[in-house]
Amino acid sequence: MTDQPPANPYASGPATMRPEDEKLWSILTHIGGIVVFLIVPLVAYLVLRDRGPFVRHHTGQALNFQLTMLIAYVVGFVTSWFGLGFLLILAAGILTLVFGIIAAVAASRGEFYRYPLAIPFTR
């Protein structure tokens, strides 16, 4: 008689979230991108991307946008010698604030939102 080893409880994938939780984490990811810049969307994407399609979409979009804004900030810093870089940094800050709020409102409505200026780094 062969005994089957017990199933590994840690081998299963993460459980999917309820729709309300997906909306909440999507909103927090967009707002966190405004407040803490790149850290919150990156951590949220790495931790929550397998928990549901809605939260995966929003965390990926927030991460893509924050990486795009990071590029804009770096280019603005490099070109600040010419005075033009300060305007680019200011514009990137305003875009981060405005589009982050728009994305959070769209997430609260349960809509899929795509940032207009984001380079698609994640899929």
Side-chain angles (χ1 to χ4, degrees), residues 30-59:
H30 292 298
I31 298 299
I34 295 171
V35 176
V36 190
F37 188 54
L38 185 63
I39 303 299
V40 172
L42 177 63
V43 170
Y45 180 75
L46 292 175
V47 172
L48 302 172
R49 67 179 170 202
D50 295 330
R51 302 292 301 269
F54 188 75
V55 75
R56 180 181 180 90
H57 172 80
H58 278 279
T59 56

PDB file of all heavy atoms in Angstrom, residues 30-59:
ATOM      1  N   HIS A  30      -2.856  54.019  -7.764  1.00  0.00           N
ATOM      2  CA  HIS A  30      -2.766  55.289  -8.496  1.00  0.00           C
ATOM      3  C   HIS A  30      -2.468  56.460  -7.552  1.00  0.00           C
ATOM      4  O   HIS A  30      -1.625  57.304  -7.870  1.00  0.00           O
ATOM      5  CB  HIS A  30      -4.060  55.555  -9.261  1.00  0.00           C
ATOM      6  CG  HIS A  30      -4.294  54.599 -10.387  1.00  0.00           C
ATOM      7  ND1 HIS A  30      -3.446  54.490 -11.468  1.00  0.00           N
ATOM      8  CD2 HIS A  30      -5.292  53.712 -10.607  1.00  0.00           C
ATOM      9  CE1 HIS A  30      -3.910  53.569 -12.299  1.00  0.00           C
ATOM     10  NE2 HIS A  30      -5.022  53.086 -11.797  1.00  0.00           N
ATOM     11  N   ILE A  31      -3.136  56.500  -6.412  1.00  0.00           N
ATOM     12  CA  ILE A  31      -2.880  57.570  -5.441  1.00  0.00           C
ATOM     13  C   ILE A  31      -1.473  57.438  -4.860  1.00  0.00           C
ATOM     14  O   ILE A  31      -0.776  58.435  -4.669  1.00  0.00           O
ATOM     15  CB  ILE A  31      -3.940  57.552  -4.317  1.00  0.00           C
ATOM     16  CG1 ILE A  31      -5.336  57.796  -4.889  1.00  0.00           C
ATOM     17  CG2 ILE A  31      -3.626  58.567  -3.231  1.00  0.00           C
ATOM     18  CD1 ILE A  31      -5.516  59.124  -5.576  1.00  0.00           C
ATOM     19  N   GLY A  32      -1.038  56.219  -4.606  1.00  0.00           N
ATOM     20  CA  GLY A  32       0.318  56.000  -4.104  1.00  0.00           C
ATOM     21  C   GLY A  32       1.375  56.437  -5.103  1.00  0.00           C
ATOM     22  O   GLY A  32       2.451  56.889  -4.721  1.00  0.00           O
ATOM     23  N   GLY A  33       1.070  56.319  -6.401  1.00  0.00           N
ATOM     24  CA  GLY A  33       1.997  56.799  -7.418  1.00  0.00           C
ATOM     25  C   GLY A  33       2.174  58.300  -7.384  1.00  0.00           C
ATOM     26  O   GLY A  33       3.242  58.816  -7.709  1.00  0.00           O
ATOM     27  N   ILE A  34       1.135  59.011  -6.964  1.00  0.00           N
ATOM     28  CA  ILE A  34       1.242  60.467  -6.826  1.00  0.00           C
ATOM     29  C   ILE A  34       2.088  60.816  -5.606  1.00  0.00           C
ATOM     30  O   ILE A  34       2.951  61.683  -5.668  1.00  0.00           O
ATOM     31  CB  ILE A  34      -0.169  61.093  -6.683  1.00  0.00           C
ATOM     32  CG1 ILE A  34      -0.976  60.898  -7.966  1.00  0.00           C
ATOM     33  CG2 ILE A  34      -0.067  62.580  -6.348  1.00  0.00           C
ATOM     34  CD1 ILE A  34      -2.437  61.279  -7.828  1.00  0.00           C
ATOM     35  N   VAL A  35       1.847  60.123  -4.508  1.00  0.00           N
ATOM     36  CA  VAL A  35       2.469  60.484  -3.238  1.00  0.00           C
ATOM     37  C   VAL A  35       3.911  59.979  -3.128  1.00  0.00           C
ATOM     38  O   VAL A  35       4.806  60.730  -2.748  1.00  0.00           O
ATOM     39  CB  VAL A  35       1.626  59.940  -2.063  1.00  0.00           C
ATOM     40  CG1 VAL A  35       2.289  60.210  -0.731  1.00  0.00           C
ATOM     41  CG2 VAL A  35       0.236  60.533  -2.105  1.00  0.00           C
ATOM     42  N   VAL A  36       4.146  58.711  -3.466  1.00  0.00           N
ATOM     43  CA  VAL A  36       5.464  58.110  -3.252  1.00  0.00           C
ATOM     44  C   VAL A  36       6.169  57.815  -4.570  1.00  0.00           C
ATOM     45  O   VAL A  36       7.198  57.156  -4.594  1.00  0.00           O
ATOM     46  CB  VAL A  36       5.329  56.825  -2.392  1.00  0.00           C
ATOM     47  CG1 VAL A  36       6.669  56.308  -1.953  1.00  0.00           C
ATOM     48  CG2 VAL A  36       4.455  57.070  -1.186  1.00  0.00           C
ATOM     49  N   PHE A  37       5.622  58.262  -5.663  1.00  0.00           N
ATOM     50  CA  PHE A  37       6.173  58.141  -7.004  1.00  0.00           C
ATOM     51  C   PHE A  37       6.240  56.693  -7.456  1.00  0.00           C
ATOM     52  O   PHE A  37       5.213  56.066  -7.611  1.00  0.00           O
ATOM     53  CB  PHE A  37       7.529  58.865  -7.090  1.00  0.00           C
ATOM     54  CG  PHE A  37       8.078  58.949  -8.481  1.00  0.00           C
ATOM     55  CD1 PHE A  37       7.331  59.487  -9.505  1.00  0.00           C
ATOM     56  CD2 PHE A  37       9.321  58.459  -8.786  1.00  0.00           C
ATOM     57  CE1 PHE A  37       7.821  59.544 -10.799  1.00  0.00           C
ATOM     58  CE2 PHE A  37       9.820  58.523 -10.063  1.00  0.00           C
ATOM     59  CZ  PHE A  37       9.068  59.065 -11.067  1.00  0.00           C
ATOM     60  N   LEU A  38       7.366  56.110  -7.649  1.00  0.00           N
ATOM     61  CA  LEU A  38       7.516  54.816  -8.311  1.00  0.00           C
ATOM     62  C   LEU A  38       7.370  53.616  -7.377  1.00  0.00           C
ATOM     63  O   LEU A  38       7.020  52.522  -7.821  1.00  0.00           O
ATOM     64  CB  LEU A  38       8.890  54.775  -8.998  1.00  0.00           C
ATOM     65  CG  LEU A  38       9.243  53.578  -9.843  1.00  0.00           C
ATOM     66  CD1 LEU A  38       8.299  53.484 -11.031  1.00  0.00           C
ATOM     67  CD2 LEU A  38      10.669  53.673 -10.321  1.00  0.00           C
ATOM     68  N   ILE A  39       7.590  53.792  -6.105  1.00  0.00           N
ATOM     69  CA  ILE A  39       7.653  52.668  -5.164  1.00  0.00           C
ATOM     70  C   ILE A  39       6.318  51.930  -5.052  1.00  0.00           C
ATOM     71  O   ILE A  39       6.265  50.710  -5.169  1.00  0.00           O
ATOM     72  CB  ILE A  39       8.104  53.163  -3.767  1.00  0.00           C
ATOM     73  CG1 ILE A  39       9.441  53.879  -3.852  1.00  0.00           C
ATOM     74  CG2 ILE A  39       8.149  52.012  -2.780  1.00  0.00           C
ATOM     75  CD1 ILE A  39      10.584  53.052  -4.342  1.00  0.00           C
ATOM     76  N   VAL A  40       5.235  52.653  -4.830  1.00  0.00           N
ATOM     77  CA  VAL A  40       3.929  52.013  -4.616  1.00  0.00           C
ATOM     78  C   VAL A  40       3.462  51.248  -5.855  1.00  0.00           C
ATOM     79  O   VAL A  40       3.066  50.081  -5.738  1.00  0.00           O
ATOM     80  CB  VAL A  40       2.880  53.043  -4.148  1.00  0.00           C
ATOM     81  CG1 VAL A  40       1.492  52.437  -4.116  1.00  0.00           C
ATOM     82  CG2 VAL A  40       3.256  53.590  -2.784  1.00  0.00           C
ATOM     83  N   PRO A  41       3.498  51.837  -7.058  1.00  0.00           N
ATOM     84  CA  PRO A  41       3.080  51.045  -8.219  1.00  0.00           C
ATOM     85  C   PRO A  41       3.954  49.814  -8.471  1.00  0.00           C
ATOM     86  O   PRO A  41       3.450  48.768  -8.869  1.00  0.00           O
ATOM     87  CB  PRO A  41       3.163  52.025  -9.387  1.00  0.00           C
ATOM     88  CG  PRO A  41       3.009  53.348  -8.775  1.00  0.00           C
ATOM     89  CD  PRO A  41       3.678  53.237  -7.434  1.00  0.00           C
ATOM     90  N   LEU A  42       5.244  49.924  -8.212  1.00  0.00           N
ATOM     91  CA  LEU A  42       6.131  48.783  -8.416  1.00  0.00           C
ATOM     92  C   LEU A  42       5.813  47.656  -7.442  1.00  0.00           C
ATOM     93  O   LEU A  42       5.658  46.500  -7.850  1.00  0.00           O
ATOM     94  CB  LEU A  42       7.595  49.206  -8.274  1.00  0.00           C
ATOM     95  CG  LEU A  42       8.637  48.094  -8.399  1.00  0.00           C
ATOM     96  CD1 LEU A  42       8.575  47.476  -9.791  1.00  0.00           C
ATOM     97  CD2 LEU A  42      10.020  48.623  -8.105  1.00  0.00           C
ATOM     98  N   VAL A  43       5.689  47.970  -6.171  1.00  0.00           N
ATOM     99  CA  VAL A  43       5.372  46.950  -5.171  1.00  0.00           C
ATOM    100  C   VAL A  43       3.981  46.364  -5.431  1.00  0.00           C
ATOM    101  O   VAL A  43       3.784  45.146  -5.370  1.00  0.00           O
ATOM    102  CB  VAL A  43       5.483  47.530  -3.744  1.00  0.00           C
ATOM    103  CG1 VAL A  43       4.934  46.568  -2.711  1.00  0.00           C
ATOM    104  CG2 VAL A  43       6.924  47.891  -3.437  1.00  0.00           C
ATOM    105  N   ALA A  44       3.016  47.217  -5.747  1.00  0.00           N
ATOM    106  CA  ALA A  44       1.657  46.740  -6.010  1.00  0.00           C
ATOM    107  C   ALA A  44       1.635  45.813  -7.223  1.00  0.00           C
ATOM    108  O   ALA A  44       0.959  44.781  -7.209  1.00  0.00           O
ATOM    109  CB  ALA A  44       0.717  47.920  -6.230  1.00  0.00           C
ATOM    110  N   TYR A  45       2.386  46.161  -8.260  1.00  0.00           N
ATOM    111  CA  TYR A  45       2.414  45.307  -9.451  1.00  0.00           C
ATOM    112  C   TYR A  45       3.040  43.955  -9.137  1.00  0.00           C
ATOM    113  O   TYR A  45       2.516  42.914  -9.538  1.00  0.00           O
ATOM    114  CB  TYR A  45       3.172  45.997 -10.579  1.00  0.00           C
ATOM    115  CG  TYR A  45       3.223  45.166 -11.837  1.00  0.00           C
ATOM    116  CD1 TYR A  45       2.112  45.046 -12.655  1.00  0.00           C
ATOM    117  CD2 TYR A  45       4.381  44.486 -12.201  1.00  0.00           C
ATOM    118  CE1 TYR A  45       2.141  44.281 -13.806  1.00  0.00           C
ATOM    119  CE2 TYR A  45       4.422  43.717 -13.346  1.00  0.00           C
ATOM    120  CZ  TYR A  45       3.302  43.617 -14.146  1.00  0.00           C
ATOM    121  OH  TYR A  45       3.332  42.843 -15.280  1.00  0.00           O
ATOM    122  N   LEU A  46       4.132  43.965  -8.417  1.00  0.00           N
ATOM    123  CA  LEU A  46       4.816  42.706  -8.109  1.00  0.00           C
ATOM    124  C   LEU A  46       3.993  41.818  -7.172  1.00  0.00           C
ATOM    125  O   LEU A  46       4.005  40.596  -7.305  1.00  0.00           O
ATOM    126  CB  LEU A  46       6.182  42.990  -7.493  1.00  0.00           C
ATOM    127  CG  LEU A  46       7.207  43.620  -8.442  1.00  0.00           C
ATOM    128  CD1 LEU A  46       8.480  43.971  -7.672  1.00  0.00           C
ATOM    129  CD2 LEU A  46       7.501  42.732  -9.614  1.00  0.00           C
ATOM    130  N   VAL A  47       3.263  42.413  -6.246  1.00  0.00           N
ATOM    131  CA  VAL A  47       2.516  41.633  -5.261  1.00  0.00           C
ATOM    132  C   VAL A  47       1.123  41.256  -5.760  1.00  0.00           C
ATOM    133  O   VAL A  47       0.656  40.142  -5.534  1.00  0.00           O
ATOM    134  CB  VAL A  47       2.419  42.421  -3.931  1.00  0.00           C
ATOM    135  CG1 VAL A  47       1.489  41.741  -2.958  1.00  0.00           C
ATOM    136  CG2 VAL A  47       3.797  42.598  -3.328  1.00  0.00           C
ATOM    137  N   LEU A  48       0.445  42.160  -6.460  1.00  0.00           N
ATOM    138  CA  LEU A  48      -0.973  41.977  -6.773  1.00  0.00           C
ATOM    139  C   LEU A  48      -1.281  41.578  -8.209  1.00  0.00           C
ATOM    140  O   LEU A  48      -2.445  41.378  -8.539  1.00  0.00           O
ATOM    141  CB  LEU A  48      -1.736  43.272  -6.456  1.00  0.00           C
ATOM    142  CG  LEU A  48      -1.652  43.768  -5.024  1.00  0.00           C
ATOM    143  CD1 LEU A  48      -2.286  45.139  -4.918  1.00  0.00           C
ATOM    144  CD2 LEU A  48      -2.305  42.788  -4.091  1.00  0.00           C
ATOM    145  N   ARG A  49      -0.304  41.445  -9.059  1.00  0.00           N
ATOM    146  CA  ARG A  49      -0.600  41.229 -10.478  1.00  0.00           C
ATOM    147  C   ARG A  49      -1.314  39.916 -10.768  1.00  0.00           C
ATOM    148  O   ARG A  49      -1.995  39.799 -11.775  1.00  0.00           O
ATOM    149  CB  ARG A  49       0.669  41.324 -11.307  1.00  0.00           C
ATOM    150  CG  ARG A  49       1.653  40.216 -11.043  1.00  0.00           C
ATOM    151  CD  ARG A  49       2.864  40.343 -11.895  1.00  0.00           C
ATOM    152  NE  ARG A  49       3.866  39.396 -11.412  1.00  0.00           N
ATOM    153  CZ  ARG A  49       5.130  39.513 -11.640  1.00  0.00           C
ATOM    154  NH1 ARG A  49       5.572  40.521 -12.352  1.00  0.00           N
ATOM    155  NH2 ARG A  49       5.964  38.621 -11.175  1.00  0.00           N
ATOM    156  N   ASP A  50      -1.187  38.922  -9.920  1.00  0.00           N
ATOM    157  CA  ASP A  50      -1.850  37.643 -10.150  1.00  0.00           C
ATOM    158  C   ASP A  50      -3.143  37.490  -9.353  1.00  0.00           C
ATOM    159  O   ASP A  50      -3.695  36.404  -9.290  1.00  0.00           O
ATOM    160  CB  ASP A  50      -0.904  36.496  -9.777  1.00  0.00           C
ATOM    161  CG  ASP A  50       0.312  36.458 -10.673  1.00  0.00           C
ATOM    162  OD1 ASP A  50       0.196  36.863 -11.843  1.00  0.00           O
ATOM    163  OD2 ASP A  50       1.387  36.042 -10.199  1.00  0.00           O
ATOM    164  N   ARG A  51      -3.632  38.560  -8.775  1.00  0.00           N
ATOM    165  CA  ARG A  51      -4.807  38.470  -7.913  1.00  0.00           C
ATOM    166  C   ARG A  51      -6.113  38.786  -8.631  1.00  0.00           C
ATOM    167  O   ARG A  51      -7.172  38.646  -8.051  1.00  0.00           O
ATOM    168  CB  ARG A  51      -4.649  39.414  -6.723  1.00  0.00           C
ATOM    169  CG  ARG A  51      -3.416  39.168  -5.885  1.00  0.00           C
ATOM    170  CD  ARG A  51      -3.444  37.865  -5.114  1.00  0.00           C
ATOM    171  NE  ARG A  51      -4.552  37.750  -4.206  1.00  0.00           N
ATOM    172  CZ  ARG A  51      -4.542  38.121  -2.944  1.00  0.00           C
ATOM    173  NH1 ARG A  51      -3.466  38.653  -2.422  1.00  0.00           N
ATOM    174  NH2 ARG A  51      -5.601  37.948  -2.194  1.00  0.00           N
ATOM    175  N   GLY A  52      -6.056  39.242  -9.867  1.00  0.00           N
ATOM    176  CA  GLY A  52      -7.274  39.508 -10.622  1.00  0.00           C
ATOM    177  C   GLY A  52      -6.970  40.363 -11.835  1.00  0.00           C
ATOM    178  O   GLY A  52      -5.982  41.102 -11.858  1.00  0.00           O
ATOM    179  N   PRO A  53      -7.800  40.300 -12.870  1.00  0.00           N
ATOM    180  CA  PRO A  53      -7.520  41.038 -14.098  1.00  0.00           C
ATOM    181  C   PRO A  53      -7.636  42.554 -13.938  1.00  0.00           C
ATOM    182  O   PRO A  53      -6.881  43.303 -14.556  1.00  0.00           O
ATOM    183  CB  PRO A  53      -8.562  40.514 -15.082  1.00  0.00           C
ATOM    184  CG  PRO A  53      -9.646  39.940 -14.244  1.00  0.00           C
ATOM    185  CD  PRO A  53      -8.996  39.470 -12.978  1.00  0.00           C
ATOM    186  N   PHE A  54      -8.558  43.006 -13.107  1.00  0.00           N
ATOM    187  CA  PHE A  54      -8.740  44.449 -12.936  1.00  0.00           C
ATOM    188  C   PHE A  54      -7.542  45.075 -12.240  1.00  0.00           C
ATOM    189  O   PHE A  54      -7.003  46.084 -12.691  1.00  0.00           O
ATOM    190  CB  PHE A  54     -10.028  44.719 -12.146  1.00  0.00           C
ATOM    191  CG  PHE A  54     -10.412  46.163 -12.085  1.00  0.00           C
ATOM    192  CD1 PHE A  54     -10.969  46.792 -13.185  1.00  0.00           C
ATOM    193  CD2 PHE A  54     -10.230  46.892 -10.927  1.00  0.00           C
ATOM    194  CE1 PHE A  54     -11.326  48.126 -13.137  1.00  0.00           C
ATOM    195  CE2 PHE A  54     -10.583  48.226 -10.862  1.00  0.00           C
ATOM    196  CZ  PHE A  54     -11.136  48.843 -11.970  1.00  0.00           C
ATOM    197  N   VAL A  55      -7.107  44.465 -11.140  1.00  0.00           N
ATOM    198  CA  VAL A  55      -5.973  45.004 -10.400  1.00  0.00           C
ATOM    199  C   VAL A  55      -4.680  44.834 -11.207  1.00  0.00           C
ATOM    200  O   VAL A  55      -3.784  45.665 -11.131  1.00  0.00           O
ATOM    201  CB  VAL A  55      -5.877  44.393  -8.984  1.00  0.00           C
ATOM    202  CG1 VAL A  55      -5.362  42.982  -9.013  1.00  0.00           C
ATOM    203  CG2 VAL A  55      -5.038  45.248  -8.070  1.00  0.00           C
ATOM    204  N   ARG A  56      -4.582  43.780 -12.004  1.00  0.00           N
ATOM    205  CA  ARG A  56      -3.401  43.607 -12.856  1.00  0.00           C
ATOM    206  C   ARG A  56      -3.307  44.732 -13.884  1.00  0.00           C
ATOM    207  O   ARG A  56      -2.242  45.297 -14.112  1.00  0.00           O
ATOM    208  CB  ARG A  56      -3.425  42.259 -13.552  1.00  0.00           C
ATOM    209  CG  ARG A  56      -2.198  42.050 -14.445  1.00  0.00           C
ATOM    210  CD  ARG A  56      -2.245  40.709 -15.155  1.00  0.00           C
ATOM    211  NE  ARG A  56      -1.090  40.528 -15.985  1.00  0.00           N
ATOM    212  CZ  ARG A  56       0.049  39.967 -15.582  1.00  0.00           C
ATOM    213  NH1 ARG A  56       0.178  39.555 -14.349  1.00  0.00           N
ATOM    214  NH2 ARG A  56       1.063  39.840 -16.407  1.00  0.00           N
ATOM    215  N   HIS A  57      -4.427  45.058 -14.488  1.00  0.00           N
ATOM    216  CA  HIS A  57      -4.443  46.127 -15.489  1.00  0.00           C
ATOM    217  C   HIS A  57      -4.034  47.460 -14.861  1.00  0.00           C
ATOM    218  O   HIS A  57      -3.170  48.160 -15.385  1.00  0.00           O
ATOM    219  CB  HIS A  57      -5.832  46.244 -16.122  1.00  0.00           C
ATOM    220  CG  HIS A  57      -5.978  47.425 -17.020  1.00  0.00           C
ATOM    221  ND1 HIS A  57      -5.514  47.426 -18.314  1.00  0.00           N
ATOM    222  CD2 HIS A  57      -6.504  48.654 -16.807  1.00  0.00           C
ATOM    223  CE1 HIS A  57      -5.758  48.606 -18.858  1.00  0.00           C
ATOM    224  NE2 HIS A  57      -6.366  49.366 -17.962  1.00  0.00           N
ATOM    225  N   HIS A  58      -4.644  47.805 -13.735  1.00  0.00           N
ATOM    226  CA  HIS A  58      -4.384  49.109 -13.135  1.00  0.00           C
ATOM    227  C   HIS A  58      -2.986  49.217 -12.535  1.00  0.00           C
ATOM    228  O   HIS A  58      -2.349  50.268 -12.661  1.00  0.00           O
ATOM    229  CB  HIS A  58      -5.455  49.424 -12.088  1.00  0.00           C
ATOM    230  CG  HIS A  58      -6.703  49.967 -12.698  1.00  0.00           C
ATOM    231  ND1 HIS A  58      -6.847  51.279 -13.074  1.00  0.00           N
ATOM    232  CD2 HIS A  58      -7.863  49.365 -13.037  1.00  0.00           C
ATOM    233  CE1 HIS A  58      -8.034  51.472 -13.597  1.00  0.00           C
ATOM    234  NE2 HIS A  58      -8.679  50.314 -13.596  1.00  0.00           N
ATOM    235  N   THR A  59      -2.491  48.161 -11.912  1.00  0.00           N
ATOM    236  CA  THR A  59      -1.135  48.248 -11.372  1.00  0.00           C
ATOM    237  C   THR A  59      -0.106  48.313 -12.497  1.00  0.00           C
ATOM    238  O   THR A  59       0.882  49.031 -12.391  1.00  0.00           O
ATOM    239  CB  THR A  59      -0.824  47.063 -10.441  1.00  0.00           C
ATOM    240  OG1 THR A  59      -1.039  45.831 -11.129  1.00  0.00           O
ATOM    241  CG2 THR A  59      -1.659  47.120  -9.180  1.00  0.00           C
TER     242      THR A  59
END
